[in-house]
Amino acid sequence: PWTKPEVVVFADHSEIFWGGWTNPSPHVDPDGTIHLAFQAQPKTLPPQSKLFHQGDDVIGVATSTHPAGPFTNTLTKPVTPDAWYCVDGQEEDPFLWRSPRGFHMLAHGMCPSGFMQARYMYSEDGKQWVTSPRQPYGYRVELEGGESRRMMRVERPQLFFNTTHGDGTVSDPLVLYNGVCEDGGNLVSKFKRCVLDQAGMTWTLARPLKQAVVLV
C-alpha cells in the first residue's frame, strides 16, 4: 500500500542550500544511513544570476536515518563551489553512488551555460569533493550500424550497476541513462526547440558501457 507523502525536513539551515530543493539522489548504507545528494539554491542569489534573471543551482549532500529526515547537511559549501561567471549555478540533476573507493556523483553541468556540459565529482569521505575537469560523457551518440546523432540536451544522468557488495557499495556500471532532446530537422532547429524554447520532445536514452578488464 502507498503512504501519504511526507515533507523531507532538515535539522539545520544553511544559507548556501536555502531553498528550491529538488532532484534528490540517495545512497543507503547497510546500517540504514542515507546519504542524499540534492539540488538547491542559496538564500541570496549572486549578482550574475540576478543580472540574467536566472537561478543559482548548486548541489549539496546531507545524511539521515529516515527517508523523511530530519537530514543534516554534510557540507558547508557546494560540491562544486560557485564562480563569478556562472550565471545559472554550477550543476543540477545529481546522481550519487558509493563504490569501494568512495563516493561519486554525475550531474548536468550548468556553468557557464548548461549547454553541452556534464560533470563527474568524487570524494573519499563524502565531505571533501573534487570536480573532474573532464566530461564523463558526450552529447554525440553512436548507434548500431554506424549512425551518429547529436543531442541538444543530455540531462538527469543515472547508472545501472552490475555488482552490489556486502557493505552496500556498488561497482561495474552497465548502462548510463539520460533524459535527452534532439527535436527538430537540423542542428539550428534542434537548438532552438530543445535549448532556447525548451519545448522539444524528450525521451530516455540508455547507453551500454564498456567494462574494464581487470588483470589478477
Side-chain angles (χ1 to χ4, degrees):
W2 291 91
T3 59
K4 182 179 179 180
E6 296 184 54
V7 177
V8 175
V9 297
F10 284 79
D12 54 345
H13 297 281
S14 168
E15 293 194 359
I16 302 299
F17 313 112
W18 186 257
W21 303 288
T22 57
N23 298 9
S25 176
H27 178 90
V28 184
D29 289 337
D31 66 359
T33 299
I34 303 170
H35 305 271
L36 184 72
F38 59 91
Q39 173 183 326
Q41 294 189 355
K43 183 177 182 180
T44 303
L45 294 178
Q48 65 272 21
S49 296
K50 292 180 180 179
L51 178 64
F52 290 93
H53 304 285
Q54 298 292 325
D56 188 42
D57 294 325
V58 293
I59 293 176
V61 178
T63 58
S64 179
T65 57
H66 190 277
F71 280 85
T72 300
N73 284 298
T74 306
L75 311 180
T76 57
K77 59 182 180 180
V79 170
T80 304
D82 216 344
W84 66 267
Y85 51 85
C86 300
V87 300
D88 200 16
Q90 275 287 359
E91 294 118 1
E92 64 176 3
D93 306 340
F95 175 75
L96 174 71
W97 75 97
R98 190 174 192 175
S99 79
R101 300 178 60 186
F103 291 90
H104 312 262
M105 201 182 297
L106 291 176
H108 173 222
M110 295 296 291
C111 180
S113 67
F115 178 58
M116 296 290 180
Q117 295 180 67
R119 295 276 174 79
Y120 166 67
M121 298 83 82
Y122 60 93
S123 170
E124 292 185 357
D125 59 5
K127 299 177 181 179
Q128 302 294 325
W129 287 85
V130 176
T131 299
S132 172
R134 300 183 61 182
Q135 294 234 130
Y137 51 84
Y139 279 48
R140 180 178 292 279
V141 179
E142 304 294 334
L143 304 177
E144 290 183 358
E147 181 187 358
S148 67
R149 290 154 69 172
R150 181 175 293 280
M151 306 297 167
M152 292 293 103
R153 293 173 63 187
V154 181
E155 305 178 10
R156 304 184 187 277
Q158 295 188 30
L159 292 170
F160 174 76
F161 294 93
N162 185 49
T163 304
T164 301
H165 303 277
D167 61 356
T169 60
V170 294
S171 61
D172 305 320
L174 294 179
V175 183
L176 169 66
Y177 297 95
N178 288 102
V180 300
C181 179
E182 59 159 353
D183 195 8
N186 54 49
L187 289 179
V188 174
S189 62
K190 288 180 180 181
F191 181 81
K192 182 179 185 301
R193 288 279 295 165
C194 294
V195 179
L196 298 181
D197 298 341
Q198 295 194 16
M201 183 181 69
T202 61
W203 47 280
T204 300
L205 172 69
R207 284 185 272 189
L209 302 176
K210 293 182 179 180
Q211 297 300 295
V213 176
V214 179
L215 300 179
V216 179

